Amino acid sequence: MDASSPPLVRLVNPVGVCEARHTGLAPRLDTLDGKSIAELAVMDFARGVFLKKLTRTGQTMPFLSETRVERGDLVTLIGSEKDVERAARSLGYPDRKTVMTDMIFVGAGIFLGGMLGLLTIVVGGLPLTLTASGGALIMGLVFGWLRAVRPTFGRIPESAMWVFDTVGLTVFMACVGLAAGPSFFSGLQKSGLSLVLVGLIIAVLPHAVAILFGRYVLKMNPVIVLGACSGAGTITAALRAIQEEAQSELPALGYTVPYAIGNILLTAWGPVLVAMMS
């Protein structure tokens, strides 16, 4: 599995393109977890295959020979059909493209999320609840983790994910705009441009402080810091823009964990902040 070799074999044998998840299902996976690409490349199953892409939690990751493969990673291999199949069996589980959606998996996540959102906890006389959307988000994170570590179930085609991620998000934002439009302009008339100024400060200041702190105090790579800020703001479009500007997939390394934490905090703290300001 040579990370630097050109994948010319794809032109000769396109049937040999396969995606395999490093899952822990194969007998030898306990010894493979955390191995670098260079270490995997010298193993017997790696003969005749080339690493085309490494995907972690849905994000394409940059890779070098020192990059370590973790459980749940999706590796795209190229080579002859028999070589790719052999490598896929040794790495874990072949994750083949499909047009079928596991509706039981999706439906169970939505149902359990809705039930979780019905729960209310009273703290200091203040009722706290995740609501149905917050519960669905939490269960989405849980089910997404289950899919990552045990990808034998819960298949959703990439095209369906694109619809949910792009079209669904666009429709959601349009509905939010339609609902907030009248109150926004009425608030603008009452508060004037100060409302716009406060909104600008709230949007820019936390990210500016985070970038300066990560760059000069933590000594982090600037593009990783920018990826973390886009994740904390739960803005996938910002990550795409940063990757295009940097011409690198490196910002994705800082995106995933802040994105999950940001989604949880935005949902959980919404009712608390509203109650504090009312």
Side-chain angles (χ1 to χ4, degrees):
M1 184 165 53
D2 189 348
S4 61
S5 300
L8 299 178
V9 70
R10 185 177 189 183
L11 302 177
V12 179
N13 185 12
V15 179
V17 180
C18 176
E19 294 182 331
R21 283 190 183 271
H22 178 53
T23 63
L25 298 179
R28 295 174 53 201
L29 257 221
D30 290 338
T31 62
L32 298 183
D33 195 19
K35 292 284 188 182
S36 67
I37 293 177
E39 291 173 320
L40 295 175
V42 299
M43 296 184 177
D44 292 338
F45 67 81
R47 288 184 308 213
V49 297
F50 301 89
L51 177 60
K52 179 177 182 291
K53 184 169 67 173
L54 175 65
T55 306
R56 182 171 297 162
T57 63
Q59 300 295 329
T60 301
M61 308 298 292
F63 60 87
L64 300 171
S65 59
E66 301 85 14
T67 302
R68 298 191 179 278
V69 178
E70 299 179 1
R71 182 174 178 176
D73 285 354
L74 179 64
V75 294
T76 304
L77 305 176
I78 294 177
S80 66
E81 186 173 2
K82 63 181 182 62
D83 290 336
V84 170
E85 292 289 347
R86 181 190 67 244
R89 287 193 300 269
S90 298
L91 284 170
Y93 178 77
D95 192 32
R96 306 183 189 281
K97 295 184 181 298
T98 178
V99 296
M100 304 295 291
T101 299
D102 189 345
M103 293 306 300
I104 296 178
F105 179 81
V106 175
I110 295 174
F111 173 76
L112 294 176
M115 297 297 293
L116 181 63
L118 293 177
L119 299 177
T120 302
I121 301 176
V122 179
V123 179
L126 179 67
L128 299 179
T129 178
L130 290 173
T131 71
S133 58
L137 171 62
I138 298 299
M139 293 311 301
L141 294 172
V142 173
F143 275 51
W145 173 78
L146 290 174
R147 164 68 180 164
V149 298
R150 286 290 183 270
T152 54
F153 57 88
R155 287 177 174 269
I156 302 178
E158 292 184 4
S159 56
M161 291 298 296
W162 180 87
V163 171
F164 290 141
D165 187 39
T166 305
V167 179
L169 180 60
T170 303
V171 172
F172 169 75
M173 294 303 296
C175 293
V176 170
L178 290 172
S183 59
F184 171 78
F185 285 105
S186 63
L188 189 61
Q189 291 174 349
K190 295 178 182 178
S191 304
L193 293 178
S194 61
L195 181 64
V196 178
L197 179 61
V198 170
L200 183 63
I201 293 174
I202 292 174
V204 174
L205 185 60
H207 293 293
V209 172
I211 291 171
L212 294 175
F213 183 81
R215 180 70 181 95
Y216 295 106
V217 177
L218 300 181
K219 308 298 183 182
M220 293 176 62
N221 188 304
V223 294
I224 295 180
V225 174
L226 291 173
C229 288
S230 64
T234 66
I235 309 172
T236 305
L239 175 66
R240 299 285 184 264
I242 295 169
Q243 289 176 326
E244 290 178 5
E245 187 66 25
Q247 297 182 349
S248 171
E249 301 292 342
L250 193 62
L253 292 175
Y255 175 80
T256 52
V257 174
Y259 179 79
I261 296 174
N263 273 296
I264 295 173
L265 292 181
L266 282 173
T267 304
W269 278 97
V272 176
L273 295 177
V274 170
M276 291 173 59
M277 299 176 65
S278 61

